[in-house]
Amino acid sequence: MKVQGACHCGAIAFSAEVDPAAVDICHCSDCQTLTGTAYRVSVPAPAESLRLVRGEPRIYVRTAESGNRRAQAFCPTCGTPLWSTTVEQPRPSYTLRVGALAERDQLPPQRQYWCRSAQGWAGDLDGLPRFAQE
């Protein structure tokens, strides 16, 4: 599936090919901190499919709890998380942040991992009042 991504301010835009069956949720504490919320939703894209259309992301390298070094790409103007990738692999894949994709409504998560770090309240939001807008 072809996807189009952009940061919140529009300074960075990109496109890629993804498999909707590969969308996942990560509950690790790094993802909670990097997203500013309870978990991260992402989908992998092969390196050869990622095309930067506009702008240049800033890169922050972090060593994850798993020991893997991950390059986190984000907009230097608005801070929108865009993707992450490995540092050591010669032809990496990119893990796109679903929230930055125009097609996010077509990319429901298929699995969850690092659940030992999950916030207890994150799995059951059905009982909360719902509003179409504020």
Side-chain angles (χ1 to χ4, degrees):
M1 167 183 191
K2 178 99 171 185
V3 293
Q4 306 294 320
C7 65
H8 192 261
C9 72
I12 298 176
F14 61 95
S15 65
E17 290 285 334
V18 301
D19 177 0
V23 179
D24 57 43
I25 291 175
C26 181
H27 292 280
C28 80
S29 57
D30 281 348
C31 285
Q32 291 176 29
T33 301
L34 287 166
T35 61
T37 189
Y39 52 82
R40 171 191 43 93
V41 182
S42 63
V43 63
E48 60 273 7
S49 80
L50 183 68
R51 299 283 179 261
L52 196 55
V53 175
R54 180 175 56 252
E56 188 68 36
R58 180 163 294 161
I59 304 297
Y60 164 71
V61 177
R62 168 86 173 138
T63 301
E65 184 180 343
S66 65
N68 295 328
R69 292 185 62 213
R70 301 288 294 169
Q72 309 287 330
F74 62 96
C75 175
T77 302
C78 68
T80 301
L82 303 168
W83 64 74
S84 67
T85 188
T86 58
V87 175
E88 286 81 16
Q89 293 182 1
R91 295 221 53 191
S93 67
Y94 292 86
T95 305
L96 308 181
R97 305 308 186 226
V98 170
L101 303 177
E103 300 80 8
R104 58 186 164 260
D105 65 326
Q106 300 169 47
L107 297 165
Q110 303 299 307
R111 65 192 150 279
Q112 304 178 68
Y113 55 96
W114 285 97
C115 292
R116 72 176 188 209
S117 304
Q119 298 301 307
W121 53 263
D124 185 15
L125 303 177
D126 287 337
L128 296 179
R130 298 173 59 121
F131 306 93
Q133 64 186 43
E134 192 168 70

